[in-house]
Amino acid sequence: MPAPIAHAVSRALAAFLSGQSELVAAIDPDLAELTGTLVEFTAGGKRLRPAFCHQGWLGAGGDPTLMDESSSPTAIVRACAALDLLHASALIHDDLMDDSDTRRGRPATHVHYSRRHGERGLTGDAGRFGSSAAILLGDLSQAWADELLRTCGLRPDRVLDGLRCFDIMRTEVITGQYLDVLAQTDPRTTLDRAMRVLRFKSARYSVMRPLELGGVLGGADEALRRLYREVGEPIGEAFQLRDDVLGVFGDPEVTGKPAGDDVREGKRTVLVLLAREAADGGQLAVLEHWLGNPSMTDDGAAAVRTVMTDTGALARVEAMITERTEQALSAISSAPLEGDDVAGSLAALAVAATARSV
Amino acid sequence: MPAPIAHAVSRALAAFLSGQSELVAAIDPDLAELTGTLVEFTAGGKRLRPAFCHQGWLGAGGDPTLMDESSSPTAIVRACAALDLLHASALIHDDLMDDSDTRRGRPATHVHYSRRHGERGLTGDAGRFGSSAAILLGDLSQAWADELLRTCGLRPDRVLDGLRCFDIMRTEVITGQYLDVLAQTDPRTTLDRAMRVLRFKSARYSVMRPLELGGVLGGADEALRRLYREVGEPIGEAFQLRDDVLGVFGDPEVTGKPAGDDVREGKRTVLVLLAREAADGGQLAVLEHWLGNPSMTDDGAAAVRTVMTDTGALARVEAMITERTEQALSAISSAPLEGDDVAGSLAALAVAATARSV
């Protein structure tokens, strides 16, 4: 992701959370630990959603300045940063729901707080304490995302328009997440349902809506908003299909997640469903044995990878990624985007999001 | 609570959720079940927060009309209704964190969805499915509360001012909730900490901020806002102290919660801490044995009630309720409230919130 906007967003998040930390510490000093966790949590990450939001802004003719004369992040940077606070909320709750132990190579939030339970000499169940802290920290992060976007400092009419886009984004990601939970527990999950999860939980939330939001904040007309949706959805789908591939084939040293984590969790991704569709009896037995098996081994993960390759599922997903990336690049090249190199930057971002290894 | 505003708020919630249901059903038909749960959840409740918000509005000279000429709830009613959507979010997550089985005499949301897991023939762990559904439904309800308030239809400048108040309210209730989780697990919890939990998680959230928000939406000046805070905090504290008493002494037939539920959960309320402070060795043994004991019996609950009465803790809490109610009533009687009977209505609301049996 482009370094300058990522850096500016980090500054905006640090400044905002520092202010919130003072606010809550005035309620009770013990609350500073919560904001500290959010500071650490939001310090990582790819800044993907802020980057697409900023591209949307630039394409609508928005001012590219990232820092004002007093070295503070500009209003649009604060708005972009709000997306990573919303994302922190989604990830904290997601990790709890999936019972994931780690996030970005560190303990997941509920795991961290269940350890803090012992360190602080608290009574009762440590796991329950960890879960409660994660639920509340996710809630807080959702509320603060909205607060940061609404108070970013852009023109009130543009902000109010942007918040309508934010409304849709929140509804899509939360309901998409529920569809994912259903998909993981429903043995009848179809490829159609898996594609819908990919679209609402991820593609729109991670790329299409951030791009559109940036456009709206920059005063994009309906034609540009439509273009952003036409470009953003395929990029977003390609991004998530890449994520599914990395969840099985990714290098743990690079992704920060254990090898084959998606396999262990039994995620019914598009990749998995394509493999199941094309598998013969023996291959299906391998998938059934290891998918969602908590005691999965490295050998098991390797066997699953072999099935995914041999059934042609991996190749089909790679073809879907290529097709969607090309569709987006073609739409970008014929688009009425303002500003120097805006089309080029957006195209580079599209490629980076879909060809990444992390 | 006053029937006309409660009824109008029910209409506003039903209308808003009906629109959201159409929106999410277009994503996937399975999502209509989520909105159905929210419709049922928000159909109950005392409408306490909307009622105080509406009083704040009236006291600032706001139009008392509840339904417009086409029989739709007015903008201020929609704003008041948003508070009950936020409250639904808090309660859904609260019940999950507390592992409460019931809410208002019905299964808690996570319990309901863990049963749906079996009914739908899903695979995996039913409890985990129920928890995930409750986390996401609480998230959705928080997002929609903000959306309903922001799009209520009042003047944009007033709405933006109101949302600043809403920001503080969300931060206070979520962090207050975390302090409560800490208080329940920390054997060193002091009366001071318990009072702080009561103030932030409940008094401000349930009474003071709703009253102030209604005032802000009605254009209250700083003097009136200050008055609302001065009146709202003691009413809110008295309200929650009454809740603590009902949690131990309340009639399950009336409260809809099992007898002594607070005792079983081991809640370290102000009432409990006062009883512990004043207890002799035998009384302390009774409290230690039953507080937080999952296998509490009716006899155990009765023994705890006897200790709370005999130590004078109950009488002290009743005195605190009386003192706070009188403080609020005195401030109301000398207040510059606009409109006929506004002071009288607010006083009646204060008494209803603090002298109730449910």
Side-chain angles (χ1 to χ4, degrees), chain A residues 42-194:
Chain A
T42 57
K46 293 185 286 284
R47 307 279 181 240
L48 177 83
R49 293 153 195 85
F52 276 107
C53 184
H54 195 246
Q55 278 300 319
W57 162 264
L58 294 176
D63 183 338
T65 309
L66 296 175
M67 295 288 183
D68 65 18
E69 53 281 0
S70 60
S71 296
S72 295
T74 54
I76 182 63
V77 171
R78 287 164 52 82
C80 292
L83 297 182
D84 263 6
L85 265 186
L86 181 68
H87 195 47
S89 164
L91 293 179
I92 291 167
H93 283 178
D94 205 18
D95 286 343
L96 175 62
M97 291 188 288
D98 289 348
D99 202 17
S100 301
D101 289 335
T102 58
R103 165 67 58 185
R104 296 170 186 158
R106 306 172 64 129
T109 305
H110 60 285
V111 173
H112 170 75
Y113 277 90
S114 69
R115 290 181 191 165
R116 291 290 297 141
H117 182 272
E119 289 163 9
R120 295 184 62 157
L122 301 177
T123 59
D125 186 76
R128 172 168 295 279
F129 179 78
S131 300
S132 296
I135 289 172
L136 292 169
L137 202 58
D139 289 348
L140 196 60
S141 195
Q142 192 204 131
W144 287 358
D146 171 61
E147 180 174 342
L148 179 55
L149 176 55
R150 206 184 62 252
T151 61
C152 68
L154 292 171
R155 278 170 42 183
D157 58 332
R158 295 265 179 89
V159 170
L160 286 171
D161 283 349
L163 286 164
R164 292 303 288 159
C165 189
F166 194 66
D167 284 341
I168 297 168
M169 189 174 165
R170 288 187 296 199
T171 296
E172 285 178 344
V173 70
I174 298 168
T175 56
Q177 181 75 15
Y178 177 70
L179 291 178
D180 196 17
V181 171
L182 269 186
Q184 303 319 317
T185 51
D186 191 343
R188 296 165 301 258
T189 294
T190 59
L191 186 60
D192 186 53
R193 165 66 63 85

